[in-house]
Amino acid sequence: QKHGSLPHLKSRAAASNWATAFIERHVGTAVSVTVQLRKNAENPARNSDYESWLAFFESCSNSYCAKFIVICSHAEIDSRFRGLPNVIVAKDLGTALEHDLALIEAADIHMGASSGPGTIAQFNDKPYCILNSAMGDKFVESFIVEGNRGRFAFSSRNQNWIGGKETPELLAREFDLMWKAVQDSPANISQKKNSN
């Protein structure tokens, strides 16, 4: 109430600088999208649908100038991701948890599983969508629910939790909404004007 907004979660300066350099080196001028995937045998209900993600990544490769930085543990990596030109597997480049958090913070968009590291996106301005979520049932007082979509009262319209399992169509629809928000952002509009 005092400041009119929630404080952003921030990485250490060294991690933040590393993430910026990582994105410049591996993503370049494309839109950077972190994707946190989850595959846990002890709680499979919240696991990511890898087939849907693969189909989504493939469909985006010819439609969007975007690079997807997949963040997950070594055990959660699907080797098929490595064959996609628009996917970077962060763990293949030696990342640890602090790097993953800094990448989420530095990227233009965040997508993925309902899991701890995504918290850094929630306390930030970037568009995000958290998939396969049951958040609406747990945070009724601070959560705005519209159908299968919900967001915290302090979040923007482009920061959503989505109930239900991923499908390629759902991922494409949510990504397109966030893509438009990034393209229409004041920073991007200013950058386009300066490059003309």
Side-chain angles (χ1 to χ4, degrees):
Q1 287 178 333
K2 179 180 176 184
H3 297 285
S5 64
L6 287 174
H8 288 187
L9 291 179
K10 292 283 187 191
S11 299
R12 293 182 312 125
S16 182
N17 292 338
W18 173 89
T20 300
F22 180 102
I23 289 171
E24 287 174 358
R25 186 179 322 112
H26 297 288
V27 177
T29 58
V31 170
S32 55
V33 185
T34 48
V35 176
Q36 183 185 4
L37 298 181
R38 185 178 191 280
K39 183 165 47 176
N40 185 324
E42 293 181 24
N43 185 3
R46 290 173 45 217
N47 285 350
S48 302
D49 185 318
Y50 280 58
E51 297 303 322
S52 291
W53 283 103
L54 281 160
F56 166 67
F57 292 148
E58 288 171 353
S59 72
C60 286
S61 65
N62 295 321
S63 306
Y64 296 97
C65 183
K67 290 269 185 151
F68 299 91
I69 305 168
V70 173
I71 295 170
C72 57
S73 72
H74 286 287
E76 294 170 310
I77 296 168
D78 187 309
S79 61
R80 294 174 291 176
F81 295 148
R82 295 183 176 107
L84 300 174
N86 58 343
V87 174
I88 300 159
V89 178
K91 284 294 174 286
D92 288 350
L93 298 166
T95 62
L97 178 59
E98 184 177 21
H99 299 111
D100 294 345
L101 292 170
L103 285 169
I104 293 171
E105 181 188 354
D108 297 308
I109 294 172
H110 178 68
M111 303 175 76
S114 176
S115 189
T119 303
I120 200 163
Q122 296 165 43
F123 293 94
N124 206 300
D125 293 331
K126 76 179 69 271
Y128 70 79
C129 70
I130 306 295
L131 286 295
N132 197 15
S133 167
M135 287 288 275
D137 298 333
K138 296 180 177 160
F139 294 92
V140 174
E141 291 182 19
S142 63
F143 215 67
I144 301 164
V145 178
E146 299 168 346
N148 73 330
R149 303 165 62 82
R151 67 181 185 281
F152 289 106
F154 58 79
S155 300
S156 76
R157 287 215 162 267
N158 299 305
Q159 297 177 316
N160 290 288
W161 294 72
I162 313 298
K165 278 300 220 187
E166 306 99 311
T167 64
E169 297 78 19
L170 174 63
L171 293 171
R173 185 171 64 244
E174 293 303 320
F175 180 69
D176 191 58
L177 291 170
M178 293 185 293
W179 175 266
K180 288 174 181 168
V182 168
Q183 298 304 304
D184 293 340
S185 71
N188 200 19
I189 291 168
S190 174
Q191 185 178 9
K192 285 177 184 173
K193 285 180 182 174
N194 292 336
S195 64
N196 288 338

